[in-house]
């Protein structure tokens, strides 16, 4: 039985956990975790390419003001999806695997029932609310095109919320392969296909909005069936019994509702920032910010790939009280994220303006500075690891609420002032400030609230080399202003150098022992011991 959230041993220092824990078992679990996450990383790269092609096509196809209206509607839809979720997609990743690990199948199924029913009910309420009060929304948004698009796309709010729950369930009960296909192959291909067809036929922005809704609905329908078949193969569907079903409503909402403050901070960085730009500045500045935001977010593409199966894996180690393996999982995962995300981060920070012009055209030259600033915040958020997920696994809800309320208050005031004065660039500065504040406080929380080390000396070297690498790239960019083709080469050389210096920190041969069959792989990665 795992310790409660209030009596977890070893806070601030590593502890091997209770006697009888097999260190080899924890290491094997972490190796499997990284392997699965690596598959998702490959999938994320595929999905990134497909999503990004769709994004570039849309930005180039629509007029700048028209794209600004479309982006504004998407931001309000994302706000609605957050309201539907109530943080429950994170909750299922914590409670379901713990209940399953303890053999409490009744509460495991009860967790799923409560979460799916809540998200579906709130989704219906959001859709009906928007239609009922669209006149009020029109007074706030004051953009007729955006409002008409929103009335089509608001159905995406519950669909996106249910999709997030489905992905969390796949991460809990399925495999990395199931998430790989659903998240990174099928959905992006379907969305890109719709975009290409609509552009080829000269369709307007409203049909584009309708196509987004159709793609999301098709994905939900197909993968609900796939998930049910997965549960049937594992025998879990046969264990669903109303007589033994237990609905842990109090536990679920006592955990998830306080963590809505985390969603408030997220909304402030994304949807609310776009809405504030529309209200305080212009639709063109909305377009500048929103055009490069997806590219900045992609500095998290490695982090996003690893995130799906991190919480279930960490929760199982927590349930076993294997503190050493939990610390190793955190820092190994963070190191993989930091090193593999570096190339895109360095490219966008050092060469933001030429990248924006290359992708979106001359009208978006000013967006290059926005891109560079945003990438700093998003990269630091991913490269410092999943400290918020660890705090959730340990049940440190009160601490997280305090951090999130403080971050949200400071960020909201700063963002309003910065947007009023500097427009889209101010919005980017506010977003990055929000990331830095929250992550610093969460990292301090690792030291004081969990058994995971806030700074593991074994993993300092990769981060030092990353800081040096990005400064070298910036200096070369300012000094020589190379053309964009040469910039790609420059970033590639710096990235490979950093990866080579830190190849042992990734423990590639330990994670993928099958590579040891190849002499070249053994020569490149060597005999790597555990850091």
């Amino acid at each position: 039985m795992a310790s409660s959230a209030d009596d977890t041993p070893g806070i601030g220092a590593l502890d091997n956990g209770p006697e009888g824990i097999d260190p080899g078992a924890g290491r094997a679990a972490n190796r499997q975790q990284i392997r699965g996450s690596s598959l998702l990383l490959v999938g994320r790269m595929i999905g990134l390419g497909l999503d990004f092609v769709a994004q570039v096509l849309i930005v180039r196809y629509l007029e700048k003001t028209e794209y600004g209206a479309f982006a504004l509607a998407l931001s309000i839809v994302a706000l609605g999806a957050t309201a539907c979720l109530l943080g429950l997609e994170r909750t299922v990743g914590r409670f379901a695997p713990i209940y399953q690990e303890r053999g409490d199948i009744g509460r495991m199924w009860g967790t799923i029932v409560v979460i799916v029913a809540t998200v579906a009910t709130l989704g219906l309420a959001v859709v009906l609310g928007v239609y009922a009060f669209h006149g009020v929304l029109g007074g706030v948004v004051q953009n007729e095109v955006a409002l008409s698009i929103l009335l089509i796309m608001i159905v995406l709010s519950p669909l996106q919320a249910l999709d997030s729950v489905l992905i969390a369930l796949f991460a809990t009960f399925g495999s990395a392969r199931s998430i790989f296909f659903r998240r990174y192959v099928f959905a992006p291909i379907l969305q890109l296909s719709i975009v290409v067809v609509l552009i080829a036929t000269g369709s307007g922005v409203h049909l584009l909005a309708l196509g987004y809704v159709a793609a999301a609905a098709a994905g939900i329908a197909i993968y609900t069936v796939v998930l049910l078949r997965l549960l049937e193969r594992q025998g879990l569907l046969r264990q669903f019994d109303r007589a033994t079903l237990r609905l842990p409503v109090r536990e679920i909402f006592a955990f998830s509702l306080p963590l809505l403050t985390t969603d408030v901070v997220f909304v402030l960085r994304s949807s609310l920032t776009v809405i504030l730009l529309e209200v305080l500045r212009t639709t063109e500045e909305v377009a500048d910010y929103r055009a490069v935001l997806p590219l900045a977010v992609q500095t998290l593409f490695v982090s996003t790939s690893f995130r799906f199966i991190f919480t279930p894996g960490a929760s199982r180690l927590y349930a076993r009280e294997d503190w050493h393996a939990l610390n190793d999982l955190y820092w190994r995962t963070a190191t993989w994220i930091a090193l593999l995300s570096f190339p895109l981060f360095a490219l966008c920070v050092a060469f933001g303006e030429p990248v924006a012009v290359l992708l979106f055209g001359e009208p978006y030259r000013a967006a290059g500075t926005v891109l560079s600033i945003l990438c700093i915040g998003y990269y630091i958020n991913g490269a410092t690891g999943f400290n918020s997920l660890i705090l959730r696994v340990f049940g440190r809800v009160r601490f997280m609420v305090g951090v999130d309320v403080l971050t949200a208050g400071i960020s909201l005031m700063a963002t309003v002032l910065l947007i009023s004065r500097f427009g889209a660039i101010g919005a980017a500065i506010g977003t990055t400030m929000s990331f830095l504040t929250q992550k610093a406080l969460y990292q301090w929380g690792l030291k004081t609230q969990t058994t995971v080390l806030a700074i593991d000396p074994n993993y300092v070297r990769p981060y030092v080399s990353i800081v040096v690498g990005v400064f070298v790239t910036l200096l070369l960019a300012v000094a020589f202003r190379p053309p964009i083709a040469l910039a790609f080469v420059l970033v590639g050389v710096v990235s490979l150098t950093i990866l080579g210096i830190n190849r042992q920190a990734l423990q590639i041969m330990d994670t993928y022992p099958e590579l040891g069959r190849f002499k070249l792989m053994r020569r490149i990665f060597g005999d790597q011991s555990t850091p």
Side-chain angles (χ1 to χ4, degrees), residues 265 268-269 273 289 373-374 377 407 410-416 418-419 422-437:
V265 178
L268 175 61
R269 293 186 189 125
T273 297
Y289 183 87
I373 297 170
L374 282 174
T407 303
I410 295 173
S411 300
L412 180 59
M413 291 186 291
T415 300
V416 170
L418 289 166
I419 287 176
F422 301 110
I425 291 176
I429 295 172
T431 298
T432 296
M433 287 175 55
S434 173
F435 276 126
L436 297 179
T437 302

Side-chain angles (χ1 to χ4, degrees), residues 350-364:
F351 303 99
E353 185 176 294
V355 167
V357 173
L358 173 68
L359 295 173
F360 307 117
E362 190 62 34
Y364 289 89

Side-chain angles (χ1 to χ4, degrees), residues 48 52 55 67 289-299 360:
L48 166 64
F52 197 69
Q55 165 76 9
Y67 174 73
Y289 183 87
R290 191 59 179 77
V292 298
L293 180 61
L295 182 56
V297 171
Q298 294 313 323
T299 56
F360 307 117

Side-chain angles (χ1 to χ4, degrees), residues 18-136:
E19 294 183 5
I21 290 290
D22 178 11
R27 181 170 177 173
N30 289 350
R31 180 167 57 244
Q32 188 62 31
Q33 180 93 4
I34 299 295
R35 287 173 64 92
S37 297
S38 301
L39 175 62
L40 294 183
L41 173 60
V42 174
R44 181 61 177 161
M45 293 175 68
I46 296 172
L48 166 64
L50 296 171
D51 285 339
F52 197 69
V53 170
Q55 165 76 9
V56 171
L57 288 175
I58 291 171
V59 173
R60 286 186 169 271
Y61 177 68
L62 299 176
E63 296 291 334
K64 193 170 185 179
T65 54
E66 198 173 35
Y67 174 73
F70 181 75
L72 179 60
L74 274 179
S75 297
I76 298 174
V77 165
L79 188 64
T82 301
C84 295
L85 278 171
L86 291 180
L88 292 172
E89 83 285 7
R90 299 186 297 266
T91 304
V92 72
R94 180 183 190 268
F95 282 92
I98 288 178
Y99 286 138
Q100 185 185 24
E101 187 75 18
R102 296 173 179 174
D104 194 346
I105 303 301
R107 280 188 171 82
M108 183 203 76
W109 271 112
T111 298
I112 298 172
V113 169
V114 169
I115 289 174
V116 172
T118 300
V119 170
T121 302
L122 290 175
L124 179 61
V126 167
V127 173
L128 294 178
V130 167
Y131 278 102
F133 299 102
H134 69 275
V136 177

Side-chain angles (χ1 to χ4, degrees), residues 78-79 82-83 85-91 255-272 307 381 386-393 396-409 411 434-435 438-439 442:
L79 188 64
T82 301
L85 278 171
L86 291 180
L88 292 172
E89 83 285 7
R90 299 186 297 266
T91 304
F255 182 81
S256 67
L257 288 180
L259 294 178
L260 281 176
T261 51
T262 302
D263 293 328
V264 170
V265 178
F266 171 78
V267 166
L268 175 61
R269 293 186 189 125
S270 53
S271 303
L272 188 57
R307 185 185 187 94
N381 182 55
F386 298 126
N387 42 25
S388 63
L389 298 186
I390 288 291
L391 288 166
R392 289 189 192 115
V393 167
R396 306 307 185 190
V397 174
R398 184 177 300 178
F399 174 82
M400 295 186 68
V401 169
V403 169
D404 293 339
V405 169
L406 178 63
T407 303
S411 300
S434 173
F435 276 126
Q438 187 181 42
K439 293 297 285 188
Y442 276 168

Side-chain angles (χ1 to χ4, degrees), residues 241-390:
D241 187 348
R242 290 185 180 181
T244 60
L245 189 66
R246 298 292 182 268
L247 304 179
V249 176
R250 181 177 178 180
E251 293 91 336
I252 289 172
F253 288 103
F255 182 81
S256 67
L257 288 180
L259 294 178
L260 281 176
T261 51
T262 302
D263 293 328
V264 170
V265 178
F266 171 78
V267 166
L268 175 61
R269 293 186 189 125
S270 53
S271 303
L272 188 57
T273 297
V274 173
I275 295 171
L276 286 172
L277 273 171
E278 172 68 25
V279 173
L280 299 175
R281 301 289 288 200
T282 65
T283 303
E284 286 79 3
E285 294 206 64
V286 170
D288 278 336
Y289 183 87
R290 191 59 179 77
V292 298
L293 180 61
L295 182 56
V297 171
Q298 294 313 323
T299 56
L300 292 174
F301 79 98
V302 182
S303 176
T304 304
S305 305
F306 281 48
R307 185 185 187 94
F308 288 121
I309 59 178
F310 180 87
T311 300
S315 296
R316 289 187 168 94
L317 292 175
Y318 173 82
R320 299 171 195 165
E321 300 182 4
D322 194 344
W323 313 125
H324 183 82
L326 188 57
N327 181 81
D328 181 63
L329 173 64
Y330 177 87
W331 281 107
R332 284 185 66 179
T333 302
T335 302
W336 275 77
I337 292 169
L339 292 174
L340 298 184
S341 303
F342 177 82
L344 182 59
F345 164 64
L347 179 68
C348 292
V349 169
F351 303 99
E353 185 176 294
V355 167
V357 173
L358 173 68
L359 295 173
F360 307 117
E362 190 62 34
Y364 289 89
R365 177 175 292 277
T369 303
V370 177
L371 174 62
S372 297
I373 297 170
L374 282 174
C375 281
I376 294 172
Y378 276 98
Y379 177 78
I380 291 175
N381 182 55
T384 50
F386 298 126
N387 42 25
S388 63
L389 298 186
I390 288 291

